[in-house]
Every structure is written in structure tokens, then in C-alpha cells.
Amino acid sequence: MMARLGRLVLALVLTVGLAGPAYAGNIYLSGHDILLHSGQNSYDALILDFLRGVGSADVVPKASYNISVVGSAVGFGSFTGGPTITGNPSGTVLTNGTGAIAGYGTVKYYVTGTGASWATILAADALVILDHTSCGGCDLSTAGSTEVNSHSADIATRFNAGMDIWGGSGASLLTYYDFLPPGAVASGLPIGASSGFDCTAAGAAIGIKGGTTCPGSPSMINGFPTHNRFVGFSPAFTVFEVRGTEIISIGLQGGTITDGGIITDGGGTRVPEPATLALLGLGLTVLAAVGRRARAKK
């Protein structure tokens, strides 16, 4: 009996150990100021689909997917087919029957510098950080970006618990992406072009249209100015869009922010979640007891 129990516990320990932890959040980052251009022919809808896991077994239904949009009420932004985001008071519900946000749970706009509750902002399923004002007309001010970045630890906690992130264009503000851990992403200087963009094979696979590798009309990527490129980023990210050798859009699914940066299920060091560690500890304790009982019978 004790031997059988020992084998069962060992099987449980091995199963838990091999399963590893869940990797929770998804991220999409682009040098395009997509929401300044009213979603760039539904590029915004594609990004939201990517964030909620369309095409995977873990897709989150639109109706239960709530979105927080953060800006500074000093510029412009709009989802495809949706109302103007900016200029609204903090906590405004953005509702529309058509377009990129049709069918989603709740989409709310929060204004930096107004005392908006970050606990409330980060309670959503997705955090959309609007583009920096240096793009020319965009909504997130430098002070607003500093406020966002000051909550990087809270953002990391929520990301690891399943919140997704869409980061817009940092344009000339090289610290814009500092809401992610150091070493995760490095932004380059503005490039200010509206043509020559193409998707990678991975970009074509998620539905980007308008490049040589991903033909289709209307274009999501050409005909719209972009304002920064990525000159360094964690290998956890996948490149979705380029202009020649310049990296324009990147993303990842199933990521975890760690002390050393950001990792995904396919890379980095696996660190079991607390519940997993507790179960492993319980299993090892029972195995030790089985061993002592067996030895006592000899």
C-alpha cells in the first residue's frame, strides 16, 4: 500500500514539475501611431485580436474582455469606427456599435495627471497606452508617460496575472517603453516615413495587410507615418513588421516579466508559481514519509 502511494505521489510530482508555470500576458508594440490614424484600416482590431489570443485555445471572448486606454487629453486618438478618445474626462466609457471595439466588454479612457486610480486602470484585461505627443498630435504627454512608467511594478504584477499590453508609438521619447523592465525594449530615434513597410511571415500569419509579404487592401501599414523603430529587444519578442532592416512592430504571447527582463514559454528560466511550489513541497514531504516508513519495516 505504501509503495503504491509512493508511486502515485511521485507521478504527481513529476507531472507538476514537467507542466511548469502558466505564462500569462500578451504584448503588442508598434512604432506606428495607429490610433492617431483612426486605427489604420482595422490594424487596431487585429492587435486586439492578437492580445486576446484569437487563433489559440486560450482566446478570450470579446464580451468579457475589458480595456483601459491611458492618455493625457492633449491630443487625438480613435479606434476604427469609434468615437474620438481624447478630450474626454477620466473614466469615460467609449461605446460604439461598429468598428474595432464593437462587442467588447468595457472600454474606458483614463487621463494622466487627474488622480485616476491605477488600481482601477490595471483591473482591466488589457492596457492600451496612447502614443506620445512628439508624434505630432498624439495624446500621451511626457509627464503622462512618466506617470505610466512610475507604475511599472504594478503593471508587471498585473501582466503576470494575465493583463495584456498594447504600447503605442514612443516617437522621440526614448523612455516611453520604460513601463517594461530594463532590457526588454530599446526604442530608436524617429524615422518619420509613411511607405516602405512590410510584414514578416509572422506578421502575415496574424493578418497584417498592405506589404509585399502581406498584400491586401486597404493597407494597414503603408500610407501612414510612423515615428520610431526598435533597435533592441528581448528575444522573447517576435518581429511582425519591418522597413528594410528597421524593426517597426513586435509582440509576444504568454509572457512573464521577471527580475531579469521578460520571457515566454519558449525561453528563459522557468520559475514555478507559488501554488506549484507548495504542491511540489507536499509531494516531496509525502515521499520522504513513505521512505521512512519503508525503512522502519526492514
Side-chain angles (χ1 to χ4, degrees):
M1 178 65 182
M2 293 302 292
R4 186 179 302 114
L5 177 60
R7 287 195 296 270
L8 288 173
V9 173
L10 179 59
L12 175 62
V13 170
L14 290 175
T15 299
V16 172
L18 290 173
Y23 284 72
N26 303 331
I27 301 177
Y28 201 95
L29 307 175
S30 180
H32 289 294
D33 46 351
I34 293 168
L35 295 183
L36 179 69
H37 300 287
S38 301
Q40 293 191 190
N41 294 325
S42 297
Y43 196 175
D44 54 350
L46 181 153
I47 292 170
L48 292 176
D49 281 349
F50 174 83
L51 292 178
R52 63 188 180 90
V54 169
S56 75
D58 298 323
V59 60
V60 181
K62 280 186 177 183
S64 58
Y65 196 77
N66 300 316
I67 303 168
S68 290
V69 182
V70 176
S72 302
V74 294
F76 181 82
S78 178
F79 289 98
T80 299
T84 299
I85 295 170
T86 51
N88 294 305
S90 197
T92 297
V93 177
L94 304 173
T95 58
N96 192 54
T98 61
I101 58 174
Y104 278 91
T106 300
V107 185
K108 288 187 178 181
Y109 172 62
Y110 296 94
V111 181
T112 60
T114 62
S117 166
W118 275 89
T120 301
I121 293 170
L122 298 179
D125 299 290
L127 172 66
V128 177
I129 303 169
L130 293 178
D131 313 286
H132 184 251
T133 52
S134 56
C135 77
C138 295
D139 189 59
L140 187 70
S141 67
T142 299
S145 178
T146 298
E147 179 179 333
V148 172
N149 294 345
S150 73
H151 292 277
S152 60
D154 299 322
I155 290 171
T157 297
R158 278 291 296 123
F159 175 75
N160 289 346
M163 183 187 74
D164 305 317
I165 300 172
W166 171 1
S169 172
S172 298
L173 186 66
L174 299 185
T175 59
Y176 173 91
Y177 300 100
D178 285 358
F179 54 83
L180 294 175
V185 174
S187 176
L189 294 173
I191 60 177
S194 59
S195 63
F197 301 106
D198 197 9
C199 71
T200 62
I206 65 172
I208 294 176
K209 297 189 298 185
T212 301
T213 304
C214 48
S217 180
S219 176
M220 297 175 177
I221 55 179
N222 284 296
F224 305 98
T226 193
H227 299 281
N228 63 275
R229 60 196 185 277
F230 298 101
V231 295
F233 47 87
S234 164
F237 284 96
T238 295
V239 177
F240 292 119
E241 186 187 349
V242 297
R243 190 187 73 159
T245 60
E246 297 172 322
I247 308 300
I248 306 301
S249 297
I250 59 177
L252 61 81
Q253 290 182 320
T256 297
I257 291 174
T258 71
D259 290 340
I262 191 165
I263 59 176
T264 59
D265 195 12
T269 303
R270 287 176 170 271
V271 179
E273 296 171 347
T276 305
L277 286 171
L279 187 53
L280 282 170
L282 174 61
L284 292 173
T285 299
V286 173
L287 279 176
V290 170
R292 287 195 298 270
R293 188 71 171 270
R295 287 192 298 271
K297 289 184 174 182
K298 289 183 179 179

